[in-house]
Amino acid sequence: MNSKTTDLRDGRLSLANRTVLLADPVRTRLAAYLDYRNRRWPRTANCHLFVSQTTGCGVEPVSYVWIIDVLGMPTSRLREDRLLHEAEATGGDPRRICDLFGLSVGAALRYTGTIDQPGLVEHSLRNAGPPSRPPAD
């Protein structure tokens, strides 16, 4: 995720191929994060949205390993979870999935097809967290 703070404007995130309208809860959490970021690294020259202890003194983006460590899972797993949840929440509206996630109709139909399978979305959501780690010795 190489988004920059300049990609955020008027409640929208501008990506290379589309603009994402951010929901109010997302805007609230994002504002809290940006406030934290500005307090933690007040003089950073790093314009990337996410900054770590390592990148706060430079201009490079955080690594994918850092993002996975912070989230506890790969971003692809988080995206899939959100796709399945949105498919369930919209009653299987492929147009909504296409608009929100920038998918083709065929890809959206694969996700919306899951709502006809009882328990599949719940199973996916239940197992979407970070993988369990073996106990330390």
Side-chain angles (χ1 to χ4, degrees):
M1 170 109 193
N2 288 325
S3 293
K4 298 180 178 177
T5 55
T6 55
D7 296 334
L8 297 166
R9 288 183 303 280
D10 301 322
R12 292 174 168 76
L13 174 63
S14 297
L15 302 174
N17 57 353
R18 70 183 185 279
T19 299
V20 178
L21 180 62
L22 302 175
D24 286 337
V26 174
R27 291 163 77 173
T28 301
R29 295 290 301 261
L30 187 56
Y33 168 74
L34 291 173
D35 185 51
Y36 160 78
R37 182 188 187 280
N38 290 333
R39 282 192 322 272
R40 178 74 168 91
W41 295 281
R43 291 184 283 286
T44 186
N46 195 324
C47 62
H48 290 90
L49 182 58
F50 296 112
V51 178
S52 70
Q53 185 172 346
T54 304
T55 65
C57 295
V59 294
E60 65 278 353
V62 295
S63 70
Y64 286 105
V65 172
W66 180 87
I67 291 173
I68 290 170
D69 285 347
V70 168
L71 292 176
M73 68 183 86
T75 55
S76 58
R77 196 167 176 187
L78 182 63
R79 179 176 166 83
E80 185 172 276
D81 171 72
R82 297 294 80 217
L83 278 157
L84 288 169
H85 185 269
E86 193 63 30
E88 178 74 15
T90 63
D93 181 357
R95 174 64 186 203
R96 176 94 169 151
I97 301 299
C98 290
D99 290 346
L100 284 174
F101 295 96
L103 295 179
S104 68
V105 172
L109 289 172
R110 286 194 296 276
Y111 284 98
T112 59
T114 64
I115 66 166
D116 296 333
Q117 300 178 27
L120 182 61
V121 171
E122 291 81 6
H123 172 76
S124 179
L125 294 174
R126 190 172 46 251
N127 293 305
S132 58
R133 297 181 181 183
D137 291 331

